[in-house]
Each structure stands twice: as structure tokens, then as C-alpha cells.
Amino acid sequence: MQESIKSIFTESIQAQIAAGEVLPDALESAALTIVQGLINGNKLLCCGVDSCHMLAEHMAGLLVNFYETERPCLPAVALTQSSVQLGVQASSDDSDRFARQVRAFAQQGDLLLVIAVNGNEKDVVCATEAALTKDMKVIALVGDDGGELTGLLGPSDVEIRVPSKRPSRIVESHLFITHCLSQLIDNTLFPQGEQ
């Protein structure tokens, strides 16, 4: 069993190294896109598929509160995935749950952060389509080949695609990416000298 445990750690570390090789440009672009949106008075809406929704909530919380250094609040909100809170019947199709909230709460110029495993999950695809109709910029955290989500993104949107097909490695990388983005945003908006 201990060899299996070591193998799991090794696989996770290798996935992080691979992501570190291919994602710096996308991470820089995403951080600068978010910073510019916040400077312009816009907000970040965050949502994620079931296995990633806690990451959307975490990212919004890091911006509203702070990452590692106290600073003023930044406007971000995680869209709810609860049918009860949305007043939707439990038997209805969930694919529109985030899109309805984007249509209700977003303003032109706001940003949408979507977090998905393979990019074919209908709820984040629908949310992205709704955001694009409101002229919002989209930042997509995804893995595998990016799926349908990748095809929706335009030149002003940012795709952060984890180079892995394994869902567990993708989600682990997404957590690291949310922390990386938070630090980059904080360092850009509130520089504290060399970190």
C-alpha cells in the first residue's frame, strides 16, 4: 500500500510540473484580465461543475476576503448551484442553473470564471454562452482537451487548460491555480515589495 501512496504523490507532482511548464502565459493573462476588470469597477462571477464548485466558492472568498495579506475587499461572487436557493423544482434540468444567474446578476464588463474538468459539462457551457451574450470576458479553468467550452472562447477570453486527462489531477491543479491567481491579483493591485 505504501508504494501505491508514493505513486499517487509522484503522479500528482508530475502533473503539477507539467502544468507549470505550459500555463504561465495563461495565468498571467488571466490575472491581468481580472485585475483590469476590477480596476474598471466590474466584478468576478465564479461557477464550477459539481466536482469543482467548491473551488469557485473558494476563489470568490479569496477575493472578497484576502489570500495571505489583508487588503480591501474585491467584488467577487460564487454562483449558487442549489436548486432550493434558485427556486427551481428539483426535477428541472440543471444545465441552465448558472446561466440564469449570469443573465440576472451580470453587467456588461463583468468577468466569468468557469471551472470544469473536461469542458463538456452543460451547466458551465450554458453559463459561458450567457456571459458572452452580455459581452463579458470568460476565464475558463479546464482540463483534458478543453471540450466544447474551448470552442466558445474568443480572443479576449482566457483558457487555462491543465495538461491532464485524469479528473483528480485536474481538480488538484485547479486548486493550485486559484491560489496562484489570487496571489498574482493581490501582488498586482496591492504591491508589498518583492515576495
Side-chain angles (χ1 to χ4, degrees), residues 62 65-71 179 182-183 186-187 195:
L62 290 172
N65 297 299
F66 59 90
Y67 176 57
E68 290 181 338
T69 306
E70 284 199 53
R71 50 129 172 94
H179 289 164
S182 298
Q183 184 171 338
D186 283 3
N187 290 350
Q195 303 248 336

Side-chain angles (χ1 to χ4, degrees), residues 5-187:
I5 292 167
K6 290 178 184 176
S7 176
I8 292 167
F9 272 94
T10 300
E11 181 186 348
S12 180
I13 291 165
Q14 289 171 341
Q16 289 292 76
I17 290 170
E21 292 294 321
V22 300
L23 294 181
D25 287 344
L27 289 169
E28 180 181 28
S29 180
L32 292 175
T33 298
I34 294 170
V35 164
Q36 191 58 57
L38 297 173
I39 288 171
N40 290 342
N42 299 112
K43 62 187 168 294
L44 179 69
L45 302 177
C46 306
C47 66
V49 299
D50 291 345
S51 62
C52 299
H53 192 70
M54 80 283 190
L55 297 173
E57 291 174 335
H58 185 54
M59 183 66 187
L62 290 172
L63 291 180
V64 170
N65 297 299
F66 59 90
Y67 176 57
E68 290 181 338
T69 306
E70 284 199 53
R71 50 129 172 94
C73 301
L74 299 173
V77 65
L79 303 179
T80 185
Q81 64 178 5
S82 169
S83 296
V84 173
Q85 289 181 344
L86 292 173
V88 177
Q89 292 179 0
S91 62
S92 71
D93 180 13
D94 276 348
S95 66
D96 206 30
R97 62 183 167 177
F98 298 134
R100 293 181 66 77
Q101 294 170 79
V102 169
R103 290 191 291 271
F105 302 128
Q107 302 293 319
Q108 183 176 1
D110 285 345
L111 305 154
L112 178 67
L113 173 71
V114 294
I115 309 175
V117 174
N118 63 34
N120 292 316
E121 301 93 341
K122 204 65 181 157
D123 50 358
V124 292
V125 169
C126 290
T128 300
E129 291 170 340
L132 295 175
T133 65
K134 287 196 164 241
D135 293 324
M136 296 171 64
K137 291 182 181 174
V138 176
I139 298 159
L141 273 64
V142 70
D144 202 351
D145 66 0
E148 188 177 344
L149 195 55
T150 295
L152 295 174
L153 302 177
S156 63
D157 302 314
V158 181
E159 178 190 40
I160 303 171
R161 188 188 311 174
V162 175
S164 178
K165 293 187 175 299
R166 187 150 183 210
S168 56
R169 301 294 85 87
I170 293 167
V171 174
E172 289 166 5
S173 292
H174 285 343
L175 175 61
F176 186 85
I177 288 165
T178 61
H179 289 164
C180 183
L181 286 173
S182 298
Q183 184 171 338
L184 293 170
I185 291 164
D186 283 3
N187 290 350

